[in-house]
Amino acid sequence: MLYLMPIALTLGLGGLATFFWAMRSGQFDDLEGDSARILFDDEGRGPAFDR
């Protein structure tokens, strides 16, 4: 218990800091754009289909 509480608090604060860093760096600004870019490839079909 003496070691688990500081480890749990450190991991929790690290996760919270990472979440706020991701929010401030714009990771959650365009949630639908990434999913649309996966489905619709507008750069061509790729080198395997150019034969």
Side-chain angles (χ1 to χ4, degrees):
M1 187 72 146
L2 183 65
Y3 298 113
L4 292 180
M5 288 300 285
I7 290 172
L9 288 174
T10 302
L11 289 175
L13 289 176
L16 191 64
T18 303
F19 174 72
F20 283 120
W21 169 79
M23 279 184 48
R24 296 185 87 199
S25 67
Q27 295 288 323
F28 302 112
D29 287 346
D30 187 18
L31 295 177
E32 295 181 8
D34 291 335
S35 62
R37 280 190 287 277
I38 289 173
L39 295 175
F40 304 109
D41 186 22
D42 57 354
E43 295 179 6
R45 294 183 301 183
F49 296 104
D50 290 340
R51 294 181 191 166

